[in-house]
Amino acid sequence: MVHNFNAGPSILPKEVFEQASRAIVDYNGTGLSILEIGHRTALFQEVVDEAMATARELMKLDSDHELLFLHGGASTQFFQVPMNLLNEQDTAAYLDGGVWGKKAIKEAKLFGKVEVVASSKDRNYSYLPKGYRIPENASYFHYTTNNTIEGTQMHSIPETAVPLIADMSSDILSRVMDFNRFALIYAGAQKNIGAAGVNMVVVRKDILGHVSRPLPSMMDYREHIAAGSLLNTPPVFAIYVCMLTLRWLKQLGGVSAIEAINDRKAALLYDTLDRLPVFRPTVAKEDRSKMNVVFVMDDETLEKEFLAECKANGMVGVKGHRNVGGFRVSLYNAMPLSSVRTLTELMNEFALKKA
Ligand code: PMP
């Protein structure tokens, strides 16, 4: 048995893989593959409609917010956001809380002024900055809710009067949140929502249409809204997998149900780490992520040994990102508690052997 702790693309529910593979051969008994149906057919419209309706329901979105499925990964949103929302003479506020946030900052600077309100780069992003001030005249404030590489997660929504924008790529729909507080949310699908190749974007309509630069149609959120996410040929299969994954989450009981499971998985792993001195979590306790758990060992030989044990026991994707080293264990929605239990049992045995 394989336990997939990859950071993304990552584990999806088994029933999603099964349904998606059947649909490649024969979509819903039509004799057609999902890969060969036109994106403007009623067959595909059903898929988009269900994906959008389910996502809206799970997020409890109000009617001021539009939901889109757009091409490209979250990295496209790093520049699409400022292109649509930041005039050249204006300032956007950004939090520098991790490598992905830093990349978003770099792209925003191409379109206007950027004020970095705080940074945790001084300690390799192992904590989240606190007590910063968001300027009231900023066009918007951008932050990353969960830092996938460093393993930190913002546990509350910042208080500000300026439009809030969040990159939720690695924790969207993993916990209950007031999604309506955001002016714009984006998330690459390949962790909690579905297959790589598509972004889910939520945007409050009133923030659009205020920049003076001309926008290419494919970059203009308003054009995508008007076209119902079908401005051009969308990533049909990726959207189909999103629909299946969202349907799975709804059937499971929605966001509060998955949050309860995610809390148990994270508690089990962090409790184990805190109990066993051979492992050392790298992140400030109050900022720990429930999606990506990052830890190291003080002895590199032991790290290699433990990694080999993980491999021998069917655990994949536990090697840490090169920026931090050590280990990173991702606990996205589809990760079963039983796999986390198997990992913690291995950690206990390893610690006992090395004591
Ligand atoms: N933001 C976050 C928080 C991420 O984790 C990632 C990818 N892991 C990205 C942005 C970039 O996403 P993509 O590779 O889909 O462009």
Side-chain angles (χ1 to χ4, degrees), residues 73-75 78 100 144 146 148 167 169-170 188 190-191:
S75 305
F78 292 167
W100 293 113
T144 313
N146 184 77
T148 326
D167 174 358
S169 294
S170 51
Q190 64 269 26
K191 300 165 202 299

Side-chain angles (χ1 to χ4, degrees), residues 174-192:
S174 68
R175 55 176 169 163
V176 175
M177 250 183 149
D178 184 356
F179 294 102
N180 289 312
R181 286 217 7 224
F182 293 85
L184 194 145
I185 296 166
Y186 61 90
Q190 64 269 26
K191 300 165 202 299
N192 274 338

